[in-house]
Amino acid sequence: MIVKELPLKLQLIRTKKRLYSMSPVSWSNETYYLKRILPLARKHKVIHFDKSDARLANNGLPVQLQMLRCRVNFDALRFTPQIEALGRQLISTLQRSGQFVVLHLRYEMDMLSFSGCTHGCSTEEAEELTRMRYAYPWWKEKEIGSEAKRLQGLCPLTPEEITLVLKALGFTKDTLIYIASGEIYGGERRLAVLKAAYPKLVRKEKILSPDELRPFQNHSTQMAALDYMVSLASDIFIPSYDGNMARVVEGHRRSASLDSVRNINNH
Protein backbone atom coordinates (compact mmCIF):
# COMPACT_ATOMS: atom_id res chain seq x y z
CA MET A 1 0.00 0.00 0.00
CA ILE A 2 1.26 3.48 -0.89
CA VAL A 3 -0.05 6.23 1.36
CA LYS A 4 0.62 9.89 2.05
CA GLU A 5 -0.22 9.63 5.76
CA LEU A 6 0.13 6.59 8.00
CA PRO A 7 -2.94 5.02 9.64
CA LEU A 8 -3.18 5.80 13.35
CA LYS A 9 -2.07 2.30 14.40
CA LEU A 10 1.16 2.62 12.42
CA GLN A 11 1.67 6.19 13.62
CA LEU A 12 1.79 4.81 17.15
CA ILE A 13 4.44 2.28 16.08
CA ARG A 14 6.46 5.10 14.55
CA THR A 15 6.40 7.11 17.80
CA LYS A 16 7.84 4.18 19.72
CA LYS A 17 10.77 3.55 17.40
CA ARG A 18 12.57 5.28 14.58
CA LEU A 19 11.02 4.88 11.14
CA TYR A 20 13.07 2.53 8.92
CA SER A 21 14.36 4.51 5.95
CA MET A 22 16.20 3.27 2.87
CA SER A 23 16.95 3.89 -0.80
CA PRO A 24 15.75 1.00 -2.99
CA VAL A 25 18.00 -0.02 -5.86
CA SER A 26 16.79 1.54 -9.10
CA TRP A 27 15.66 -0.64 -12.00
CA SER A 28 15.31 -3.74 -9.79
CA ASN A 29 13.05 -6.59 -10.84
CA GLU A 30 10.33 -8.31 -8.80
CA THR A 31 12.82 -10.72 -7.19
CA TYR A 32 14.57 -7.83 -5.43
CA TYR A 33 11.31 -6.60 -3.94
CA LEU A 34 10.20 -10.10 -2.92
CA LYS A 35 13.54 -11.23 -1.47
CA ARG A 36 14.91 -7.96 -0.05
CA ILE A 37 12.09 -5.47 0.48
CA LEU A 38 9.22 -7.75 1.58
CA PRO A 39 11.14 -9.22 4.57
CA LEU A 40 12.02 -5.68 5.67
CA ALA A 41 8.39 -4.61 5.34
CA ARG A 42 7.28 -7.56 7.49
CA LYS A 43 9.94 -6.78 10.09
CA HIS A 44 9.49 -2.99 10.33
CA LYS A 45 5.81 -2.74 9.30
CA VAL A 46 6.51 0.60 7.61
CA ILE A 47 9.32 1.48 5.20
CA HIS A 48 10.19 5.03 4.20
CA PHE A 49 11.73 5.21 0.71
CA ASP A 50 13.89 8.34 0.91
CA LYS A 51 13.92 8.85 -2.84
CA SER A 52 11.17 8.37 -5.36
CA ASP A 53 13.07 7.67 -8.57
CA ALA A 54 13.89 4.01 -7.80
CA ARG A 55 12.07 2.54 -10.76
CA LEU A 56 10.80 -0.99 -11.04
CA ALA A 57 12.30 -2.60 -14.15
CA ASN A 58 9.92 -2.45 -17.11
CA ASN A 59 11.02 -5.50 -19.04
CA GLY A 60 10.14 -9.11 -18.39
CA LEU A 61 7.68 -8.46 -15.57
CA PRO A 62 4.63 -10.73 -15.21
CA VAL A 63 1.41 -9.25 -16.55
CA GLN A 64 -0.06 -9.22 -13.03
CA LEU A 65 2.74 -6.92 -11.83
CA GLN A 66 2.40 -4.64 -14.83
CA MET A 67 -1.32 -4.36 -14.12
CA LEU A 68 -0.54 -3.52 -10.49
CA ARG A 69 1.88 -0.80 -11.62
CA CYS A 70 -0.93 0.73 -13.69
CA ARG A 71 -3.37 0.54 -10.77
CA VAL A 72 -0.90 2.31 -8.48
CA ASN A 73 0.18 4.96 -10.99
CA PHE A 74 -3.18 5.70 -12.54
CA ASP A 75 -5.79 4.85 -9.89
CA ALA A 76 -4.26 5.05 -6.42
CA LEU A 77 -2.12 8.18 -6.72
CA ARG A 78 -3.87 11.55 -6.78
CA PHE A 79 -2.88 15.18 -7.18
CA THR A 80 -3.62 17.60 -4.35
CA PRO A 81 -7.21 18.90 -4.13
CA GLN A 82 -6.03 22.36 -5.26
CA ILE A 83 -4.43 20.96 -8.43
CA GLU A 84 -7.42 18.69 -9.10
CA ALA A 85 -9.86 21.58 -8.78
CA LEU A 86 -7.93 23.93 -11.06
CA GLY A 87 -7.29 21.15 -13.55
CA ARG A 88 -11.02 20.38 -13.76
CA GLN A 89 -11.69 24.09 -14.28
CA LEU A 90 -9.25 24.15 -17.21
CA ILE A 91 -10.83 21.05 -18.74
CA SER A 92 -14.36 22.41 -18.35
CA THR A 93 -13.43 25.69 -20.05
CA LEU A 94 -11.85 23.87 -23.01
CA GLN A 95 -14.69 21.39 -23.40
CA ARG A 96 -17.27 24.19 -23.57
CA SER A 97 -15.57 25.18 -26.84
CA GLY A 98 -15.98 21.69 -28.29
CA GLN A 99 -13.30 19.16 -29.13
CA PHE A 100 -9.70 20.10 -28.48
CA VAL A 101 -6.19 18.80 -29.15
CA VAL A 102 -3.37 18.87 -26.62
CA LEU A 103 0.06 19.51 -28.10
CA HIS A 104 2.83 18.62 -25.67
CA LEU A 105 5.43 20.97 -27.11
CA ARG A 106 8.77 20.10 -25.49
CA TYR A 107 10.73 23.18 -26.47
CA GLU A 108 11.72 24.72 -23.15
CA MET A 109 15.21 26.06 -22.48
CA ASP A 110 16.20 23.35 -19.99
CA MET A 111 15.00 20.61 -22.33
CA LEU A 112 17.05 21.92 -25.25
CA SER A 113 20.09 22.51 -23.06
CA PHE A 114 19.95 19.03 -21.49
CA SER A 115 19.43 17.25 -24.80
CA GLY A 116 21.91 19.41 -26.72
CA CYS A 117 19.38 19.89 -29.51
CA THR A 118 19.91 23.33 -31.04
CA HIS A 119 18.44 22.91 -34.54
CA GLY A 120 16.81 26.17 -35.60
CA CYS A 121 18.54 28.18 -32.88
CA SER A 122 20.86 31.09 -33.52
CA THR A 123 24.57 30.86 -32.69
CA GLU A 124 23.97 33.00 -29.60
CA GLU A 125 21.12 30.75 -28.45
CA ALA A 126 23.19 27.59 -29.00
CA GLU A 127 26.00 29.09 -26.90
CA GLU A 128 23.53 30.04 -24.17
CA LEU A 129 22.14 26.49 -24.08
CA THR A 130 25.67 25.06 -23.86
CA ARG A 131 26.55 27.37 -20.96
CA MET A 132 23.44 26.23 -19.12
CA ARG A 133 24.38 22.57 -19.63
CA TYR A 134 27.82 23.12 -18.13
CA ALA A 135 26.31 25.02 -15.20
CA TYR A 136 24.54 21.89 -13.94
CA PRO A 137 27.11 19.34 -12.71
CA TRP A 138 24.50 16.57 -12.37
CA TRP A 139 23.87 16.70 -16.12
CA LYS A 140 26.54 14.19 -17.08
CA GLU A 141 26.67 14.67 -20.87
CA LYS A 142 28.37 17.96 -21.81
CA GLU A 143 29.76 17.71 -25.35
CA ILE A 144 26.77 16.94 -27.60
CA GLY A 145 26.61 16.99 -31.39
CA SER A 146 23.20 18.46 -32.10
CA GLU A 147 22.86 17.33 -35.72
CA ALA A 148 24.09 13.80 -34.99
CA LYS A 149 21.58 13.48 -32.18
CA ARG A 150 18.84 14.87 -34.38
CA LEU A 151 19.61 12.33 -37.13
CA GLN A 152 19.19 9.59 -34.52
CA GLY A 153 15.68 10.84 -33.78
CA LEU A 154 16.60 11.94 -30.25
CA CYS A 155 15.61 15.60 -30.50
CA PRO A 156 12.17 17.16 -29.96
CA LEU A 157 10.41 18.56 -33.00
CA THR A 158 10.70 22.32 -33.37
CA PRO A 159 7.49 24.42 -33.39
CA GLU A 160 7.92 24.82 -37.14
CA GLU A 161 8.25 21.05 -37.66
CA ILE A 162 5.24 20.24 -35.49
CA THR A 163 3.23 22.67 -37.63
CA LEU A 164 4.04 20.55 -40.69
CA VAL A 165 3.07 17.40 -38.79
CA LEU A 166 -0.31 18.84 -37.79
CA LYS A 167 -1.00 19.88 -41.38
CA ALA A 168 0.00 16.45 -42.67
CA LEU A 169 -2.37 14.82 -40.16
CA GLY A 170 -5.22 16.89 -41.59
CA PHE A 171 -5.90 19.31 -38.75
CA THR A 172 -7.71 22.39 -40.07
CA LYS A 173 -7.03 26.01 -39.20
CA ASP A 174 -10.00 26.20 -36.81
CA THR A 175 -8.67 23.38 -34.58
CA LEU A 176 -8.53 24.33 -30.92
CA ILE A 177 -5.04 23.44 -29.69
CA TYR A 178 -3.95 23.57 -26.06
CA ILE A 179 -0.16 23.81 -25.65
CA ALA A 180 1.04 21.79 -22.69
CA SER A 181 4.53 23.00 -21.82
CA GLY A 182 6.61 25.43 -19.89
CA GLU A 183 7.92 28.64 -21.43
CA ILE A 184 8.86 28.05 -25.07
CA TYR A 185 12.50 28.91 -25.80
CA GLY A 186 12.55 31.86 -28.18
CA GLY A 187 9.10 32.97 -27.02
CA GLU A 188 6.52 34.27 -29.45
CA ARG A 189 9.07 34.38 -32.28
CA ARG A 190 9.39 30.58 -32.29
CA LEU A 191 5.61 30.15 -32.10
CA ALA A 192 4.88 32.52 -35.01
CA VAL A 193 4.64 29.82 -37.72
CA LEU A 194 2.49 27.58 -35.53
CA LYS A 195 0.18 30.48 -34.60
CA ALA A 196 -0.19 31.55 -38.22
CA ALA A 197 -1.30 28.04 -39.18
CA TYR A 198 -3.43 27.46 -36.07
CA PRO A 199 -4.64 30.73 -34.56
CA LYS A 200 -6.76 28.99 -31.91
CA LEU A 201 -3.74 28.22 -29.73
CA VAL A 202 -4.33 28.42 -25.99
CA ARG A 203 -2.33 27.78 -22.84
CA LYS A 204 -3.22 27.64 -19.17
CA GLU A 205 -1.76 31.13 -18.75
CA LYS A 206 -4.31 32.40 -21.29
CA ILE A 207 -7.31 30.57 -19.82
CA LEU A 208 -6.66 31.10 -16.11
CA SER A 209 -6.17 34.40 -14.33
CA PRO A 210 -2.81 35.34 -12.76
CA ASP A 211 -4.41 35.03 -9.31
CA GLU A 212 -5.56 31.47 -10.05
CA LEU A 213 -2.12 30.41 -11.25
CA ARG A 214 -0.07 32.28 -8.65
CA PRO A 215 0.03 29.46 -6.03
CA PHE A 216 1.55 27.11 -8.61
CA GLN A 217 3.80 29.37 -10.69
CA ASN A 218 7.04 28.74 -8.81
CA HIS A 219 6.49 24.98 -8.87
CA SER A 220 7.17 23.55 -12.33
CA THR A 221 5.94 20.07 -11.41
CA GLN A 222 2.61 21.46 -10.21
CA MET A 223 2.22 23.44 -13.43
CA ALA A 224 3.02 20.25 -15.34
CA ALA A 225 0.37 18.43 -13.30
CA LEU A 226 -2.26 20.84 -14.63
CA ASP A 227 -1.10 20.13 -18.19
CA TYR A 228 -1.18 16.40 -17.42
CA MET A 229 -4.82 16.51 -16.36
CA VAL A 230 -5.77 18.43 -19.51
CA SER A 231 -3.78 15.95 -21.63
CA LEU A 232 -5.75 13.04 -20.21
CA ALA A 233 -9.07 14.74 -20.93
CA SER A 234 -8.20 15.87 -24.47
CA ASP A 235 -9.82 14.39 -27.56
CA ILE A 236 -6.37 13.97 -29.14
CA PHE A 237 -2.94 14.10 -27.50
CA ILE A 238 0.12 14.81 -29.67
CA PRO A 239 3.65 14.89 -28.18
CA SER A 240 6.53 16.54 -29.99
CA TYR A 241 9.03 14.37 -28.10
CA ASP A 242 9.01 10.83 -26.77
CA GLY A 243 9.74 11.78 -23.17
CA ASN A 244 8.42 10.80 -19.75
CA MET A 245 5.23 12.86 -19.89
CA ALA A 246 4.28 11.56 -23.33
CA ARG A 247 4.79 7.97 -22.21
CA VAL A 248 2.86 8.34 -18.97
CA VAL A 249 -0.06 10.10 -20.68
CA GLU A 250 -0.16 7.35 -23.31
CA GLY A 251 -0.09 4.67 -20.62
CA HIS A 252 -2.78 6.38 -18.56
CA ARG A 253 -5.08 6.82 -21.55
CA ARG A 254 -4.57 3.19 -22.59
CA SER A 255 -5.25 2.00 -19.07
CA ALA A 256 -8.45 4.05 -18.89
CA SER A 257 -9.59 2.62 -22.25
CA LEU A 258 -8.96 -0.95 -21.06
CA ASP A 259 -10.88 -0.27 -17.85
CA SER A 260 -13.82 0.99 -19.91
CA VAL A 261 -13.77 -2.15 -22.06
CA ARG A 262 -13.65 -4.34 -18.95
CA ASN A 263 -16.59 -2.51 -17.41
CA ILE A 264 -18.63 -2.95 -20.59
CA ASN A 265 -17.78 -6.68 -20.72
CA ASN A 266 -18.66 -7.13 -17.05
CA HIS A 267 -22.10 -5.66 -17.68
Side-chain angles (χ1 to χ4, degrees):
M1 180 182 293
I2 298 177
V3 295
K4 185 175 182 180
E5 295 181 353
L6 294 176
L8 180 60
K9 180 180 177 181
L10 294 178
Q11 286 181 16
L12 294 174
I13 294 175
R14 180 179 176 181
T15 59
K16 294 178 182 178
K17 62 179 182 179
R18 186 179 179 183
L19 185 66
Y20 185 80
S21 182
M22 65 173 294
S23 299
V25 178
S26 294
W27 299 107
S28 298
N29 59 23
E30 72 274 20
T31 302
Y32 170 80
Y33 285 90
L34 289 172
K35 301 294 185 182
R36 298 289 299 277
I37 303 299
L38 184 57
L40 290 172
R42 286 172 173 160
K43 177 181 177 181
H44 299 282
K45 306 302 181 185
V46 180
I47 298 178
H48 170 236
F49 285 172
D50 57 17
K51 65 175 184 177
S52 60
D53 65 344
R55 306 178 188 184
L56 181 63
N58 289 313
N59 302 321
L61 289 179
V63 173
Q64 292 82 357
L65 276 181
Q66 292 286 20
M67 291 173 66
L68 177 61
R69 283 156 54 88
C70 290
R71 290 290 301 277
V72 170
N73 287 327
F74 305 142
D75 294 335
L77 299 179
R78 290 286 181 270
F79 294 122
T80 64
Q82 295 85 352
I83 291 174
E84 292 270 358
L86 198 58
R88 286 193 295 270
Q89 181 180 328
L90 264 173
I91 293 165
S92 176
T93 301
L94 287 162
Q95 288 177 336
R96 284 198 295 271
S97 299
Q99 293 186 327
F100 68 96
V101 175
V102 165
L103 173 59
H104 185 223
L105 189 58
R106 288 296 274 123
Y107 209 75
E108 301 94 342
M109 183 178 183
D110 60 342
M111 169 62 189
L112 298 178
S113 176
F114 176 79
S115 65
C117 297
T118 58
H119 181 80
C121 296
S122 67
T123 302
E124 292 76 15
E125 288 173 332
E127 291 173 352
E128 181 181 40
L129 294 171
T130 300
R131 286 195 301 272
M132 182 181 186
R133 187 163 61 251
Y134 275 89
Y136 291 93
W138 51 89
W139 289 359
K140 301 302 181 185
E141 195 175 7
K142 302 299 183 184
E143 289 295 326
I144 302 175
S146 176
E147 287 307 309
K149 198 163 188 178
R150 177 178 161 82
L151 290 173
Q152 294 171 0
L154 300 176
C155 287
L157 295 176
T158 67
E160 294 83 5
E161 289 170 333
I162 202 68
T163 303
L164 295 176
V165 171
L166 292 171
K167 288 181 177 179
L169 289 173
F171 289 102
T172 57
K173 194 166 187 174
D174 61 348
T175 302
L176 176 60
I177 299 177
Y178 175 93
I179 296 183
S181 74
E183 184 177 352
I184 299 301
Y185 188 58
E188 294 300 310
R189 176 179 60 83
R190 290 311 301 266
L191 287 173
V193 172
L194 182 59
K195 275 189 172 182
Y198 297 98
K200 294 175 69 174
L201 284 182
V202 294
R203 305 181 64 172
K204 53 187 173 294
E205 292 84 357
K206 185 175 180 180
I207 297 173
L208 300 171
S209 70
D211 286 341
E212 289 170 321
L213 274 178
R214 189 168 290 114
F216 310 98
Q217 277 185 323
N218 293 327
H219 306 279
S220 60
T221 54
Q222 294 181 23
M223 295 286 274
L226 294 171
D227 285 339
Y228 184 83
M229 288 186 64
V230 176
S231 298
L232 292 182
S234 65
D235 297 283
I236 299 174
F237 173 74
I238 301 176
S240 65
Y241 179 71
D242 183 29
N244 291 332
M245 172 120 164
R247 293 171 186 172
V248 177
V249 169
E250 179 185 357
H252 201 153
R253 288 171 70 111
R254 286 189 177 191
S255 178
S257 297
L258 288 173
D259 285 343
S260 298
V261 171
R262 290 192 195 100
N263 291 334
I264 291 172
N265 291 338
N266 289 337
H267 291 296

